């Protein structure tokens, strides 16, 4: 039952009391239709293609000032301002309710609603405007008021009778759209309630309207699409219409592809020909204007996807080669950059942390004291990320470009973006700390090797190589520093994990054995006892090609120019973090599940 307020009203109006029933408990008689309200309603509905437009005129009409007239007009305004959403059996009405802060929320019409139902029922029998009559019967059907079969027939017949009147309305295109809607509503009702005579009328009227629209040179393909969808639901063979529509709207590639997809065919030459037409239409549209920017990229991506799904290997190669040769600068994007101004206090704190170090090794380890808290799992705050922030997004690899769509369950949301931003901030602070280490200790090569070397994970020769990376960093030779440090990070991690988790697979038959690469090694860190937040940080920093910085691949494969200094600082910090565990023996015992 609807919720009631203190005044005894629910969201649809006053609740019927005992005074509204007869002495024997039977329902009160149907309210008498007020002539002034009925006349104003029919006058408002003349030449109108919108229920809201009727409501506006009715609300401003001069009617009787009696309480009954005012109540009936309010009930009719509520009926006119509801919107029908969906088609088929799952139909519902959406509207705004008195005192409701959520505008346009979905509403059902349960049994036992207020006096509006009796008013709608009275006017459904009295009004001679089919557009309004169909709406009132449809509302009563959705509310479960009265005989469902009678209201279904009344609604379907009203919509059918309204269609030719809407097509003759002065606002031609708006009338055409509304007539299409009415025919689809009528078809849904006729099919659902097995109204065979009306079902036949719906099919005939839809077919006639499709013929009319296809013969016109101005109509929107969306009209034809709606009509064909309605006919398809009515089990009418629409293949001839779809083929004609595909030719008629050939200049609109998306409309053409949509109509071609309606040409269902069994596997064979006919099916292959349709598939080729679909992919070729997308490719031809992309080639028609090489300066179309991002639109061309989307067309090529769709063509490659369709070709892949339809088994058209040659067309798929053509689409992918065109994508591969797309210049990122041609996408038509404007890149906006803004400076990152961190508070001076952060740098002062980072500097003081280094000042407290006892020696060079202690100072290097202090750059890895903690990763940013954004990496930590915060399950309790998951609800904060609801809404638009969880809309899946695609990314462009500008080296290709190749469009990448993350899996549905991927954390492609604001939380990941915040984590990457947190890493970026951490990089600025780490770069400042490394520079301060150079200022304070001015280490030479031998001192760096002594501080870094470890018998197992970084013997002397490799420690010398990593020391070169630090010296290049301080000389501002950032390319050299990054390219030297990255292989050492992977080697140190592999040596740390070797005694704790499997990183090598043995050969099987003709299949050679393999060794885990950096991405797999990082994902194995929690199972080896490393904190999950650092594993997450290293994955986003070095090996996540979809959402992270992906520095290992971008630098080693030449996909970016010289990396910024604070990114190189993060690579050096990764090496120091791993070494700190080896030197201080702080790596926890192996576990079978990631640490919580």
């Amino acid at each position: 039952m609807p919720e009631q307020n203190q005044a005894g009203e629910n969201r649809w109006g006053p609740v019927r009391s005992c005074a509204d029933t007869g002495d024997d408990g039977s329902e009160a008689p149907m309210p008498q239709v007020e002539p002034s309200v009925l006349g104003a309603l029919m006058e408002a509905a003349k030449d109108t293609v919108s229920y809201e437009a009727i409501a506006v005129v009715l609300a401003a009409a001069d009617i009787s000032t009696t309480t009954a007239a005012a109540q009936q007009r309010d009930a009719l305004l509520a009926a006119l301002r509801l919107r029908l959403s969906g088609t088929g059996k799952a139909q519902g009405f959406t509207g705004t309710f008195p005192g409701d802060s959520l505008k346009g929320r979905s509403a059902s019409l349960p049994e036992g609603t207020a006096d509006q139902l009796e008013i709608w029922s009275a006017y459904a029998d009295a009004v001679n405007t089919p557009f309004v009559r169909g709406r009132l019967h449809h509302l009563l059907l959705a509310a479960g008021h009265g005989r469902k079969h009678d209201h279904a027939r009344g609604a379907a017949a009203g919509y059918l009778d309204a269609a030719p009147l809407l097509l003759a309305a002065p606002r031609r295109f708006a009338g055409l759209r509304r007539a299409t809607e009415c025919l689809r509503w009528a078809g849904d009702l006729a099919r659902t309630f097995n109204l065979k005579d009306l079902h036949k009328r719906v099919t005939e009227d839809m077919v006639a309207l499709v013929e009319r629209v296809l013969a016109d040179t101005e109509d929107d393909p969306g009209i034809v699409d709606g009509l064909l969808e309605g006919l398809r639901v009515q089990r009418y063979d629409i293949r001839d219409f779809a083929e004609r529509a595909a030719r008629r709207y050939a200049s609109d590639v998306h409309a053409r592809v949509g109509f071609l997809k309606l040409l269902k065919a069994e596997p064979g030459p006919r099916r292959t020909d349709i598939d080729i037409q679909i992919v070729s239409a997308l490719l031809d549209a992309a080639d028609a204007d090489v300066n179309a920017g991002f639109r061309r990229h989307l067309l090529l991506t769709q063509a490659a996807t369709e070709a892949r799904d339809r088994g058209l290997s040659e067309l798929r190669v053509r689409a992918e080669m065109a994508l591969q040769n797309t210049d990122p600068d041609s996408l038509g994007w404007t890149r906006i950059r803004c400076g990152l101004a961190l508070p001076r206090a952060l740098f002062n704190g980072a500097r003081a942390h280094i000042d407290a170090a006892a020696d060079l090794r202690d100072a290097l380890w202090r750059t890895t004291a903690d990763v940013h808290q954004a990496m930590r799992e915060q399950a309790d705050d998951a609800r904060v990320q609801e809404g638009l922030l969880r809309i899946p997004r695609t990314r462009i690899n500008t080296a290709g470009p190749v469009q990448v769509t993350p899996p549905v369950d991927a954390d492609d949301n604001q939380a990941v973006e915040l984590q990457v931003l947190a890493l970026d901030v951490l990089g600025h602070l780490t770069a400042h700390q490394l520079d301060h280490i150079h200022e304070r200790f001015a280490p030479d090569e031998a001192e760096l090797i002594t501080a870094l070397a470890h018998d197992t994970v970084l013997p002397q020769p490799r420690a010398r190589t990593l020391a070169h990376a630090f010296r290049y960093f301080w000389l501002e030779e950032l390319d050299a520093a990054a390219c030297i440090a990255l292989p050492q990070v992977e080697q140190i991690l592999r040596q740390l994990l070797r005694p704790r988790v499997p990183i090598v697979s043995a050969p099987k038959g003709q299949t050679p054995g393999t060794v885990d690469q950096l991405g797999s090694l990082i994902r194995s860190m929690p199972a080896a006892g490393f904190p999950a937040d650092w594993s997450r940080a290293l994955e986003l920093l070095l090996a996540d090609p979809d959402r992270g910085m992906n520095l290992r691949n971008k630098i080693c494969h030449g996909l970016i120019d010289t990396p910024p200094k604070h990114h190189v600082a993060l690579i050096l910090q990764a090496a120091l973090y791993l070494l700190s565990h080896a030197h201080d023996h702080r790596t926890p015992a192996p576990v079978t599940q990631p640490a919580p």
Side-chain angles (χ1 to χ4, degrees):
M1 293 291 289
E3 297 176 357
Q4 296 182 16
N5 58 26
Q6 294 179 350
E9 297 182 356
N10 60 28
R11 61 190 183 187
W12 297 102
V15 177
R16 181 179 294 107
S17 66
C18 294
D20 295 315
T21 60
D23 295 337
D24 58 355
S26 61
E27 291 191 0
M30 184 178 295
Q32 295 295 316
V33 171
E34 290 288 329
S36 62
V37 177
L38 179 62
L41 175 62
M42 291 191 293
E43 182 64 27
K46 284 183 178 179
D47 300 327
T48 305
V49 297
S50 164
Y51 290 114
E52 179 58 34
I54 299 174
V56 169
V57 176
L58 178 60
D62 183 16
I63 64 171
S64 171
T65 58
T66 63
T67 301
Q71 184 182 18
Q72 291 181 18
R73 174 160 65 179
D74 290 344
L76 291 170
L77 290 175
L80 294 168
R81 283 177 169 151
L82 288 167
R83 297 186 301 276
L84 183 64
S85 58
T87 56
K89 294 182 179 179
Q91 289 179 335
F93 286 87
T94 303
T96 302
F97 309 109
D100 189 354
S101 60
L102 298 176
K103 305 302 182 183
R105 65 188 176 98
S106 280
S108 61
L109 299 175
E111 295 182 8
T113 54
D115 290 338
Q116 283 104 318
L117 293 177
E118 296 298 341
I119 295 172
W120 294 347
S121 183
Y123 276 83
D125 294 335
V127 69
N128 61 7
T129 304
F131 190 42
V132 176
R133 187 172 67 249
R135 162 55 63 90
L136 293 175
H137 278 295
H138 206 161
L139 280 170
L140 293 166
L141 172 65
H145 180 80
R147 292 170 54 85
K148 288 187 175 181
H149 196 273
D150 291 344
H151 287 311
R153 176 171 288 277
Y159 289 141
L160 277 169
D161 292 341
L165 301 177
L166 291 167
L167 291 173
R171 296 175 56 198
R172 176 185 171 280
F173 188 72
L176 180 58
R177 277 196 170 277
R178 187 64 71 185
T180 301
E181 282 186 343
C182 283
L183 288 176
R184 293 196 61 182
W185 292 337
D188 293 334
L189 292 166
R191 185 184 69 258
T192 301
F193 290 90
N194 197 28
L195 306 174
K196 295 183 179 179
D197 55 330
L198 297 183
H199 187 285
K200 184 173 182 294
R201 275 188 62 190
V202 169
T203 303
E204 292 173 348
D205 289 358
M206 278 189 173
V207 168
L209 189 53
V210 172
E211 292 282 6
R212 168 179 164 174
V213 173
L214 287 177
D216 198 297
T217 59
E218 298 179 1
D219 288 327
D220 190 302
I223 298 290
V224 181
D225 183 65
L227 290 168
L228 293 187
E229 178 61 24
L231 285 172
R232 185 190 65 79
V233 173
Q234 306 290 30
R235 304 183 185 279
Y236 185 86
D237 187 352
I238 61 172
R239 286 177 295 183
D240 179 64
F241 282 142
E243 195 162 6
R244 289 169 55 188
R247 293 194 301 268
R248 165 71 177 77
Y249 300 106
S251 59
D252 185 333
V253 62
H254 296 294
R256 176 171 170 76
V257 167
F259 290 127
L260 287 172
K261 287 183 176 181
L262 293 176
L263 297 174
K264 306 294 184 182
E266 297 296 327
R270 173 62 173 161
R271 173 73 169 272
T272 302
D273 178 63
I274 294 171
D275 292 342
I276 292 174
Q277 288 186 60
I278 289 173
V279 179
S280 297
L282 294 166
L283 290 171
D284 293 344
D287 293 340
D289 185 0
V290 294
N291 299 316
F294 191 56
R295 176 177 176 273
R296 180 174 184 272
H297 169 79
L298 291 177
L299 288 169
L300 290 172
T301 300
Q302 186 180 354
T305 303
E306 294 285 355
R308 177 201 65 196
D309 295 344
R310 298 171 188 276
L312 303 175
S313 56
E314 293 184 4
L315 291 178
R316 177 181 179 179
V317 170
R318 176 184 162 189
E320 291 178 344
M321 290 298 293
L323 273 173
Q324 181 175 305
N325 293 316
T326 300
D327 179 4
D329 294 333
S330 71
L331 294 179
W333 290 349
T334 300
R335 179 169 295 179
I336 301 175
R337 294 183 180 274
C338 59
L340 179 64
L342 296 178
R344 192 68 231 170
L346 288 178
F347 291 99
N348 293 338
R351 190 182 188 89
H353 194 55
I354 299 301
D355 285 335
D359 52 29
L360 176 59
R361 176 177 287 181
D362 184 23
L364 291 173
W365 287 184
R366 281 172 175 265
T367 65
T368 68
D370 189 19
V371 75
H372 195 282
Q373 62 182 0
M375 299 301 154
R376 301 188 187 121
E377 295 183 6
Q378 300 179 12
D380 293 342
D381 297 336
R383 291 186 300 273
V384 177
Q385 310 296 340
E386 293 295 340
L388 292 177
L389 300 180
R390 283 196 180 273
I391 293 178
R393 292 182 290 276
T394 57
R395 293 180 179 271
I396 300 298
N397 176 359
T398 52
V402 177
Q403 190 165 358
V404 178
T405 303
V408 174
D409 57 349
D411 295 329
D412 186 36
N413 51 36
Q414 192 192 33
V416 178
E417 294 179 5
L418 289 175
Q419 289 175 335
V420 174
L421 177 61
L423 277 176
D424 204 65
V425 172
L426 182 64
H428 287 282
L429 299 178
T430 303
H432 185 72
Q433 287 181 320
L434 291 175
D435 283 342
H436 188 47
I437 289 173
H438 185 250
E439 293 172 4
R440 180 182 172 190
F441 297 97
D444 59 21
E445 182 177 303
E447 291 171 325
L448 279 171
I449 293 172
T450 300
L452 297 172
H454 186 278
D455 292 342
T456 304
V457 302
L458 196 70
Q460 288 274 344
R462 286 189 174 275
R464 177 177 287 106
T465 301
L466 184 58
H468 291 165
F470 280 91
R471 299 187 73 188
Y472 276 123
F473 177 82
W474 288 321
L475 290 172
E476 300 290 333
E477 296 289 346
L478 301 176
D479 277 321
C483 291
I484 291 173
L486 281 168
Q488 304 310 313
V489 171
E490 183 169 345
Q491 173 63 14
I492 294 168
L493 180 56
R494 183 175 288 109
Q495 292 301 107
L496 280 173
L497 296 179
R498 189 182 299 275
R500 299 180 172 276
V501 293
I503 62 172
V504 177
S505 63
K508 294 181 180 180
Q510 300 298 319
T511 303
T514 60
V515 178
D516 284 354
Q517 303 303 307
L518 182 59
S520 297
L521 293 173
I522 291 173
R523 288 187 289 274
S524 298
M525 288 175 64
F530 286 87
D533 52 0
W534 265 102
S535 174
R536 178 66 175 148
L538 293 181
E539 184 174 16
L540 287 176
L541 174 69
L542 301 173
D544 189 329
D546 186 27
R547 298 158 291 162
M549 295 182 181
N550 196 28
L551 293 182
R552 192 277 303 267
N553 293 325
K554 287 182 177 179
I555 292 172
C556 293
H557 293 277
L559 300 179
I560 60 173
D561 297 326
T562 301
K565 183 175 182 177
H566 65 290
H567 286 181
V568 180
L570 287 171
I571 297 172
L572 295 174
Q573 183 194 47
L576 292 172
Y577 168 75
L578 297 172
L579 282 173
S580 69
H581 281 275
H583 277 282
D584 295 347
H585 306 287
R586 290 186 286 136
T587 307
V591 292
T592 57
Q593 295 295 331

